[in-house]
Amino acid sequence: MKKIQMVDLQGQYQQIKEAVNTSIEQVLNTSAYINGPLVHEFQADLEKYLDVKHVIPCANGTDALQIAMMGLGLEQGDEVITADFTFAATVEVIALLKLTPVLVDVDAETYNIDIEALKRAITPKTKAIVPVHLFGQVANMDAVMEIAKEHNLFVIEDNAQAIGADYTFKDGTKKKAGTIGNVGTTSFFPSKNLGCYGDGGAIFTNDDKLAHTIRGIVNHGMYTRYYHDVVGVNSRLDSIQAGVLKAKLPLLDSYCDARRNAARFYNKALSVSEHIITPKSSACGEICDTCDCHVFHQYTLQITNGKRDDLHKHLLEQGIPNAIYYPVALHSQKAYVDARYKESDFPVTNGLIKTVISLPMHTELDNEQLTFITKTILDFVN
């Protein structure tokens, strides 16, 4: 059996080596390292894939969130609501901009923002909602958009983990994750479903005026060189990373399919245990053959018999990498502790941090590896 990797980027590279190397060589031969032709080509390709008017590449996913908020003109003290159970980057940028983060609990099945908790958190100071499409599954955007419309709020989609996922609205129409709100953001960190070989990110919008503002912000506030029209930052996707992404983008749907197939294997094998809660699809419950709302950036279980930490150690001893995303709720992090929060506000999050564990999930997993992983888990848990 091949060595099991949490993310097998080397194995994936071997399948796309020629295309990636050709793109990188093109950059080296032209020396167009910043804002070169491949950046513009990748941008156009991604706009077509997402069916969105504007993709603005940037340096990383955290910058993408910050720049999106800057572009919307949010002001100091404005409240921005987001989920308590996610990576810190989502709340980090809110605090950096001197906005007021408001953390709310998540849904027990999808781990995405809880709609009733979101409703309760809205005040006259609320200006924006940041739904996080966690682990690859799109949040309940029908409800989020309805709430935003009712209260005249911006919606900034944190799509760092769900690029390639579709959302099916109640009327049957579909949109790609990240293209539903006023603005969407993503990360191209190497381990993402669409990842480069360094850092990278992008911002999506169908709003022409907002796109124009953001294009200035990412480049020091310039539209004409040395003329600074808005306060900006230096956040650009370099040409080598764009070349890697351009080579990978045509394969994104197949990458997502491979992850879903691995998730189906995991679910079928592990759902037999009463001590394991397997991931669910918000659209169809189980992961059906046509499931497209979840792209499994992570495959995250709950271990309900109190042995999560012991399982974590046991799997590592057996050569099976795994991770706990996330061991500490954001409202409990030193940087974001706030007297407004009560532990009773976060029953689901406080439960998840004690029970979740994420298994190897990538495009190169084979049945032999999956069988070994699931058997090892079941033998230990049962």
Side-chain angles (χ1 to χ4, degrees):
M1 183 178 68
K2 296 185 300 182
K3 181 180 179 181
I4 299 172
Q5 307 281 352
M6 192 69 179
V7 180
D8 187 3
L9 294 176
Q10 179 61 32
Q12 186 187 72
Y13 167 67
Q14 295 304 320
Q15 305 300 317
I16 56 174
K17 188 173 184 178
E18 184 175 349
V20 168
N21 289 358
T22 297
S23 288
I24 293 174
E25 286 174 9
Q26 180 180 336
V27 176
L28 296 175
N29 289 332
T30 60
S31 298
Y33 298 114
I34 301 293
N35 208 28
L38 282 178
V39 176
H40 301 291
E41 291 173 21
F42 169 66
Q43 173 188 319
D45 290 349
L46 190 55
E47 286 170 346
K48 183 177 180 181
Y49 174 82
L50 295 172
D51 191 23
V52 69
K53 288 176 71 175
H54 304 284
V55 167
I56 302 100
C58 63
N60 56 70
T62 306
D63 278 4
L65 280 167
Q66 178 177 325
I67 292 161
M69 292 180 195
M70 291 172 69
L72 291 170
L74 299 177
E75 298 180 353
Q76 185 171 337
D78 286 348
E79 292 180 355
V80 180
I81 302 173
T82 193
D84 187 40
F85 187 64
T86 185
F87 183 60
T90 312
V91 69
E92 179 178 67
V93 296
I94 301 170
L96 279 170
L97 293 173
K98 303 299 182 183
L99 308 171
T100 301
V102 178
L103 298 169
V104 300
D105 207 7
V106 295
D107 179 81
E109 288 198 349
T110 67
Y111 314 151
N112 285 324
I113 195 165
D114 180 85
I115 298 304
E116 295 306 314
L118 167 58
K119 290 177 182 177
R120 291 192 297 269
I122 294 172
T123 76
K125 292 183 178 180
T126 306
K127 294 295 185 292
I129 306 167
V130 184
V132 181
H133 304 321
L134 196 71
F135 300 150
Q137 180 162 203
V138 189
N140 183 348
M141 293 305 292
D142 273 299
V144 169
M145 297 307 292
E146 287 171 8
I147 293 167
K149 183 177 180 181
E150 179 183 353
H151 295 277
N152 194 28
L153 305 176
F154 294 118
V155 174
I156 305 157
E157 293 178 76
D158 183 341
N159 195 40
Q161 299 187 12
I163 193 165
D166 290 320
Y167 183 77
T168 303
F169 290 89
K170 289 184 290 188
D171 65 4
T173 60
K174 289 190 177 189
K175 280 191 175 182
K176 288 291 186 185
T179 69
I180 301 165
N182 300 89
V183 61
T185 68
T186 200
S187 165
F188 300 127
F189 188 77
S191 64
K192 304 297 186 186
N193 293 33
L194 180 63
C196 55
Y197 293 164
D199 264 324
I203 304 150
F204 323 134
T205 185
N206 286 303
D207 184 321
D208 296 339
K209 183 178 178 181
L210 178 58
H212 176 73
T213 301
I214 289 172
R215 290 189 197 284
I217 292 172
V218 300
N219 191 32
H220 297 289
M222 294 188 295
Y223 301 101
T224 302
R225 193 166 178 80
Y226 301 125
Y227 291 83
H228 305 272
D229 294 355
V230 296
V231 175
V233 298
N234 177 24
S235 185
R236 296 172 296 211
L237 179 70
D238 73 72
S239 298
I240 287 177
Q241 303 309 331
V244 172
L245 293 165
K246 181 175 169 57
K248 281 189 169 187
L249 180 58
L251 300 171
L252 177 56
D253 287 343
S254 66
Y255 289 165
C256 293
D257 285 341
R259 288 169 177 268
R260 279 189 286 257
N261 286 337
R264 290 187 187 99
F265 189 106
Y266 277 140
N267 266 25
K268 184 176 180 180
L270 297 173
S271 60
V272 300
S273 172
E274 62 179 336
H275 304 304
I276 297 174
I277 299 175
T278 55
K280 301 284 192 299
S281 159
S282 60
C284 51
E286 296 304 318
I287 310 163
C288 68
D289 290 340
T290 59
C291 179
D292 57 10
C293 64
H294 203 323
V295 294
F296 289 95
H297 172 61
Q298 302 293 349
Y299 180 89
T300 301
L301 296 167
Q302 290 186 62
I303 304 299
T304 61
N305 63 354
K307 294 184 178 181
R308 191 275 308 272
D309 291 345
D310 293 335
L311 176 63
H312 169 64
K313 295 174 185 176
H314 178 70
L315 292 178
L316 293 177
E317 290 168 356
Q318 299 301 311
I320 300 172
N322 64 96
I324 297 169
Y325 305 123
Y326 299 94
V328 182
L330 288 178
H331 79 269
S332 298
Q333 298 282 1
K334 287 182 181 180
Y336 306 112
V337 167
D338 194 302
R340 293 171 302 159
Y341 301 138
K342 301 179 181 66
E343 290 305 314
S344 58
D345 294 333
F346 306 101
V348 175
T349 297
N350 286 339
L352 291 174
I353 62 175
K354 299 173 184 176
T355 60
V356 293
I357 185 168
S358 297
L359 304 183
M361 175 51 72
H362 53 82
T363 58
E364 309 307 304
L365 285 166
D366 60 38
N367 281 2
E368 184 180 17
Q369 292 174 314
L370 291 166
T371 299
F372 177 70
I373 293 166
T374 53
K375 184 177 186 303
T376 302
I377 292 170
L378 290 170
D379 287 348
F380 183 84
V381 170
N382 294 330

